[in-house]
Amino acid sequence: MGGDDIEKLTEKIAELVVNSQRCLVFSGAGISTESGIPDFRGEDGIWTKLDPEDFTIERFVASPEVRKLQWKLLAEGGLLRNVKPNAAHYAVAEMDKLGKLDCIVTQNIDNLHQLAGVQDEKVFELHGNMQYVRCLGCRKRFPMDEIVSRLATEELPECDACKGILKPDAVYFGEMLPQAVLSEASRRANLCDLCIAIGSTLIVYPAAYIPEYAYKAGAKVVIINIGPTPMDSKAAVRIEGKAGDVMTRVMHHVRNKISQ
Ligand code: APR
């Protein structure tokens, strides 16, 4: 995409942000790749290396071998140890500081929007997060670090209360999404006047309903992504580019417009 095009398009997005009363940001794995976390379906995505079937709740519960492999991955530093927000997360946090963000609905489990400074109450994590581990037996919740520290001596950690199976508190394929989070995120999507989708293929449901609800409720939809999505034709602005670069340019234009 040429430099002029990207400037024109990011200026248009900034105009929509400045004129919006209720902006919902919808984020996917693509917003975190510049923090060093691979996405799932982009080039070199996680599903080109690991079998998504191993991340179905059925397989996880049925196979101690699958559970051992996943705990081993986490013990070896996992995907999310010591990762930091990138320019895209900070740009969205700046929208919040300027009073231009109603909420973030994210498919990500990396906690990076909160680390960039957006308060918990404004971040709806549809797929859970990796900060905690849940017992599938008694539902007791443990900090991830506590369980990872046990992995030096335990291949397959069990719940210390009921000996149940422990699982990272991210939503696995075949698992229900947290219903209260999904319904509040859906309600916000129906109320927003601008939905900015950043770094998602928009093909995994029910999460991908969120930008569709916004569109059907009359909101303008902006799509920032490397690669096509099924909602591209419905976008008021669709920009092919890296989230960090695009969102930094958008906020540059937003600051200029607000100071005029
Ligand atoms: N800037 C913009 N787009 C990017 C960047 C970047 N720096 N890096 C990657 N992308 C794009 C990829 O090209 C891809 O189109 O982001 C998109 C990420 O899409 P997916 O990998 O499918 O991730 P996501 O949409 O979040 O997946 C949804 O699927 O596997 C499940 O639960 C998992 O939450 C995940 C869900």
Side-chain angles (χ1 to χ4, degrees):
M1 180 171 284
D4 302 358
D5 303 351
I6 202 162
E7 273 312 293
K8 277 200 203 87
L9 289 172
T10 49
E11 204 269 331
K12 240 177 118 183
I13 297 172
E15 192 67 21
L16 291 170
V17 169
V18 168
N19 295 328
S20 147
Q21 302 307 315
R22 294 180 75 105
C23 174
L24 179 150
V25 167
F26 181 82
S27 65
I31 200 173
S32 296
T33 53
E34 292 165 68
S35 296
I37 304 174
D39 63 14
F40 296 95
R41 297 171 189 83
E43 239 173 273
D44 291 335
I46 292 177
W47 299 144
T48 64
K49 296 183 177 62
L50 296 175
D51 177 0
E53 276 305 308
D54 281 349
F55 292 81
T56 58
I57 186 67
E58 291 80 11
R59 182 84 65 85
F60 185 84
V61 170
S63 163
E65 288 320 307
V66 164
R67 295 200 294 276
K68 278 182 196 163
L69 171 71
Q70 292 185 22
W71 286 118
K72 187 166 167 288
L73 277 174
L74 282 165
E76 286 161 3
L79 299 169
L80 303 176
R81 317 289 294 162
N82 314 318
V83 284
K84 302 244 180 315
N86 64 58
H89 296 103
Y90 286 117
V92 175
E94 186 185 3
M95 281 176 64
D96 186 30
K97 287 188 188 70
L98 295 173
K100 300 309 292 180
L101 179 73
D102 176 65
C103 68
I104 298 170
V105 178
T106 187
Q107 302 170 94
N108 300 339
I109 57 176
D110 53 35
N111 204 44
L112 291 181
H113 285 299
Q114 296 93 319
L115 286 178
V118 181
Q119 70 216 65
D120 267 349
E121 299 71 58
K122 287 195 168 184
V123 184
F124 296 103
E125 295 174 309
L126 297 180
H127 294 165
N129 80 44
M130 292 292 270
Q131 309 311 310
Y132 299 99
V133 171
R134 185 78 70 175
C135 171
L136 298 182
C138 65
R139 304 300 298 159
K140 183 176 173 186
R141 196 171 81 158
F142 305 81
M144 175 61 80
D145 290 347
E146 181 186 315
I147 304 301
V148 169
S149 64
R150 287 171 45 186
L151 294 175
T153 51
E154 295 176 58
E155 232 186 347
L156 205 49
E158 290 173 341
C159 173
D160 57 8
C162 75
K163 296 275 171 262
I165 292 176
L166 294 181
K167 182 181 91 48
D169 209 13
V171 175
Y172 277 39
F173 289 117
E175 253 190 319
M176 292 281 284
L177 273 62
Q179 287 309 295
V181 176
L182 181 59
S183 58
E184 179 58 13
S186 306
R187 191 181 73 83
R188 300 287 185 102
N190 281 295
L191 289 173
C192 75
D193 56 20
L194 176 61
C195 172
I196 304 179
I198 307 176
S200 177
T201 43
L202 301 181
I203 60 171
V204 174
Y205 288 86
Y209 282 127
I210 296 299
E212 290 180 20
Y213 291 154
Y215 178 75
K216 287 195 183 102
K220 293 257 191 297
V221 173
V222 168
I223 294 179
I224 300 168
N225 200 53
I226 296 173
T229 81
M231 280 208 72
D232 287 350
S233 58
K234 296 179 179 143
V237 183
R238 200 272 176 221
I239 193 163
E240 178 80 12
K242 292 185 76 170
D245 174 49
V246 170
M247 282 307 292
T248 300
R249 292 169 186 259
V250 168
M251 292 316 291
H252 171 76
H253 290 303
V254 166
R255 287 192 297 274
N256 286 346
K257 289 174 184 298
I258 287 180
S259 62
Q260 276 158 7

